[in-house]
Amino acid sequence: MAITGDQSKPSNTPGRVDVEKALLGGSTYRGLAEQKLSPAEERFEKARRTAGFFLAPLATIIVFLLPLDIPQTQHNVAAVLAGVIVAWVTEPIPIPVSGLLGASLLVLLGAGGDEGANGVLAPFGSGTVFTFIGAFILAQSMLVHGLARRFAFRILSVPGVARSSLRIVIAFGFITCLLSAWISNTATVAILMPTAVGILGVIGNLVQDKHEAEGTLHRFDPTRMRVGFAMMLMLAYGASVGGLLTPVGSPPNLIGRELIEKATDKPIPFGTWMAMAFPICALMFVGLAVVLLLLNRPEVRHLTGVEEYVHRERAALGRMSRAEKNTLFAFTVTVVLWVFPAVVGLVVGTGSSAYETASNNLDEGVAAVLGAALLFVLPTDWKAREFTLRWGDAARIDWGTIVLFGSGVVFGTLLEETGLAETIGKGAFGALNIGSAVAITVFGALLAIVVSETTSNTASAAVVVPIVIPLAVAAGVDPLTPALAATFAASFGFMLPVSTPQNAIVYGSGTVPITKMIRSGISFDIVGALLIIVLLPLLAAALL
């Protein structure tokens, strides 16, 4: 039986639409992300990937054969990087595999110099990789034990929220932003999607009742409600906005920060990043709510039945389990360790020995791994030797993203060490004729947005940030702000289902037409780009 706004009316009443089933497409949630594309989309995807099998090696061969007046090592790195970028965009093989293949080719071509393979592959052992691993394991525990879902229903049960469609949409955005600041954007959307579908089932029956009263029921399609467009897009876009708030919120953040710190020798502490990102995220969230609710005005404002549904679902969760409490404790410990050096800096100053000791010895990767390790130590049943998380659960984290991150940093490091970054920067500076900090910041942000629309956000950061940094250096500009702008903008990609996994999930639900996603996405791209270009330089100057 579908969930209805009036529980006295069964959903199988003759002529009554089974809204929840229509929203789910008659499948379980697991099938949402696997829903088949339209014939035209399937043809495009097949052509894109097929082209990649030929274009990626062709790009490498062409660059390799070009008579470039640069050292051979730089030439080799440029040729391999060109092929990898094409492979990342066209995806003939999985994106992480493309990165590994490129790194292997660099080893064979001697890009590591006297250190050989160790010189090329060292970034895979960086502290940032361990930050990823620890954060992903903590997120996996939240998924396994339902802690994030409990948090979502707690917010939705705040008095008054579930009585208004506008408040429901905004609340979903708020929940998504907070969760995605700490766990994977894709996982956040996956956690919240079933809850969103259930609530849309209730709203759909309210809209149906309205159409029945107006005599226009024949026009009602529960999968094409404007409130559904707004809620689903809020899930997808809110995850990207929230992911900007912390360094671990999104892979591009850690990639960009790592490359910026290497290029500028300026550390960006966890707490400082949050202080810098918070105003941008807050304003982007306001802009997102305005854009989505203006473009997709809900059919009904006042809701009945949703509040009861939320209370029912929350009651079904029962009391917090020992595993949930352990997960919350491990997560809290990790966050405290992440921000501790910044707190020390605020209290005793960043020039003190205490701050230097905390920063050097309390690496974020170490903090993440310590927090994750607690999950395997804190028991849920000591007699049975059952602990909060099993390795089988932890092994299901997104290893592909970790591999892609490592290969992205490999290319960024080699660009710097071989001098290719400087060569590219000087060439781009001469060709583009942009020399001011503002112009380079605008260029970096816009290029990252364009690239992120066609390939993964992680790959976008790995491609664009290494271009922006040498361009700024060649122009005599501090690369910090332009590179940060490119890093933030790499998390964009709001127009197409292929831009981000969370876009693909909500599009696969069948509730968001491609035209609605493009229209809302391009509007939010513009709003976000303006906020980054205007605010980020001011915040970076004040905090870094």
Side-chain angles (χ1 to χ4, degrees), residues 5-6 162-163 202 206 302-308:
D6 182 354
R163 298 175 189 169
V202 181
L206 294 176
H302 181 71
L303 302 178
T304 56
V306 176
E307 200 167 41
E308 290 78 5

Side-chain angles (χ1 to χ4, degrees), residues 258-342:
E258 174 113 339
L259 295 174
I260 291 167
E261 289 180 342
K262 284 186 176 181
T264 63
D265 289 326
K266 293 180 181 178
I268 307 177
F270 199 101
T272 303
W273 179 287
M274 290 188 66
M276 178 178 60
F278 178 76
I280 296 175
C281 291
L283 290 174
M284 285 183 69
F285 177 73
V286 172
L288 174 60
V290 171
V291 167
L292 290 182
L293 290 173
L294 282 179
L295 294 180
N296 308 282
R297 294 180 181 273
E299 290 83 352
V300 290
R301 293 291 186 91
H302 181 71
L303 302 178
T304 56
V306 176
E307 200 167 41
E308 290 78 5
Y309 167 74
V310 169
H311 287 315
R312 251 192 337 271
E313 290 294 312
R314 189 182 176 197
L317 292 174
R319 298 180 63 181
M320 186 176 284
S321 68
R322 170 55 57 187
E324 288 177 276
K325 293 177 181 177
N326 290 347
T327 300
L328 182 60
F329 176 75
F331 173 74
T332 303
V333 169
T334 305
V335 173
V336 169
L337 293 177
W338 276 337
V339 302
F340 183 72

Side-chain angles (χ1 to χ4, degrees), residues 18-60:
D18 190 338
V19 179
E20 190 178 14
K21 184 176 181 181
L23 288 168
L24 286 170
S27 65
T28 62
Y29 169 67
R30 183 180 177 84
L32 290 177
E34 301 170 358
Q35 186 175 4
K36 289 186 177 181
L37 301 174
S38 69
E41 290 166 335
E42 285 183 344
R43 287 193 298 271
F44 173 78
E45 286 298 303
K46 185 178 180 180
R48 179 171 70 97
R49 294 182 175 182
T50 301
F53 277 105
F54 302 97
L55 294 179
L58 183 62
T60 296

Side-chain angles (χ1 to χ4, degrees), residues 195-392:
T195 303
V197 169
I199 289 176
L200 284 179
V202 181
I203 297 175
N205 280 327
L206 294 176
V207 176
Q208 177 185 343
D209 291 340
K210 179 182 176 182
H211 280 277
E212 286 178 347
E214 296 172 351
T216 57
L217 181 60
H218 63 284
R219 300 178 186 174
F220 174 59
D221 181 354
T223 66
R224 288 295 181 266
M225 295 185 295
R226 293 190 300 275
V227 66
F229 303 157
M231 188 179 296
M232 291 299 180
L233 289 175
M234 181 64 87
L235 284 180
Y237 299 167
S240 294
V241 172
L244 295 175
L245 184 59
T246 67
V248 298
S250 183
N253 297 356
L254 286 174
I255 287 181
R257 190 176 69 154
E258 174 113 339
L259 295 174
I260 291 167
E261 289 180 342
K262 284 186 176 181
T264 63
D265 289 326
K266 293 180 181 178
I268 307 177
F270 199 101
T272 303
W273 179 287
M274 290 188 66
M276 178 178 60
F278 178 76
I280 296 175
C281 291
L283 290 174
M284 285 183 69
F285 177 73
V286 172
L288 174 60
V290 171
V291 167
L292 290 182
L293 290 173
L294 282 179
L295 294 180
N296 308 282
R297 294 180 181 273
E299 290 83 352
V300 290
R301 293 291 186 91
H302 181 71
L303 302 178
T304 56
V306 176
E307 200 167 41
E308 290 78 5
Y309 167 74
V310 169
H311 287 315
R312 251 192 337 271
E313 290 294 312
R314 189 182 176 197
L317 292 174
R319 298 180 63 181
M320 186 176 284
S321 68
R322 170 55 57 187
E324 288 177 276
K325 293 177 181 177
N326 290 347
T327 300
L328 182 60
F329 176 75
F331 173 74
T332 303
V333 169
T334 305
V335 173
V336 169
L337 293 177
W338 276 337
V339 302
F340 183 72
V343 173
V344 172
L346 289 173
V347 175
V348 299
T350 55
S352 66
S353 59
Y355 174 74
E356 185 176 346
T357 300
S359 299
N360 293 337
N361 297 339
L362 194 55
D363 179 80
E364 287 169 12
V366 173
V369 171
L370 287 174
L374 285 175
L375 298 171
F376 302 94
V377 175
L378 297 172
T380 55
D381 185 345
W382 175 248
K383 290 183 179 180
R385 297 301 187 269
E386 288 287 340
F387 299 91
T388 308
L389 201 64
R390 299 175 179 177
W391 180 248

Side-chain angles (χ1 to χ4, degrees), residues 86-153:
V86 173
W88 279 344
V89 172
T90 58
E91 293 185 77
I93 59 178
I95 287 179
V97 177
S98 299
L100 283 178
L101 181 59
S104 301
L105 287 175
L106 289 174
V107 173
L108 293 175
L109 292 171
D114 295 337
E115 297 184 17
N118 290 337
V120 174
L121 303 177
F124 281 102
S126 70
T128 309
V129 170
F130 285 92
T131 303
F132 259 132
I133 293 172
F136 280 5
I137 291 175
L138 286 164
Q140 183 68 11
S141 187
M142 291 184 183
L143 282 170
V144 169
H145 299 300
L147 185 61
R149 178 172 165 82
R150 181 181 295 277
F151 169 75
F153 277 113

Side-chain angles (χ1 to χ4, degrees), residues 63 68-71 74-75 77-79 81-82 85 411-412 414-416 418-434 443 447 462-475:
V63 175
L68 302 176
D69 187 21
I70 58 176
Q74 291 186 22
H75 202 155
V77 174
L81 180 59
I85 290 174
F411 282 103
L414 288 176
L415 281 168
E416 178 77 19
T418 62
L420 180 58
E422 183 180 358
T423 301
I424 292 174
K426 290 180 179 178
F429 175 68
L432 298 173
N433 195 29
I434 53 175
F443 169 76
L447 179 62
V463 169
V464 177
V465 176
I467 293 174
V468 172
I469 290 175
L471 174 59
V473 172

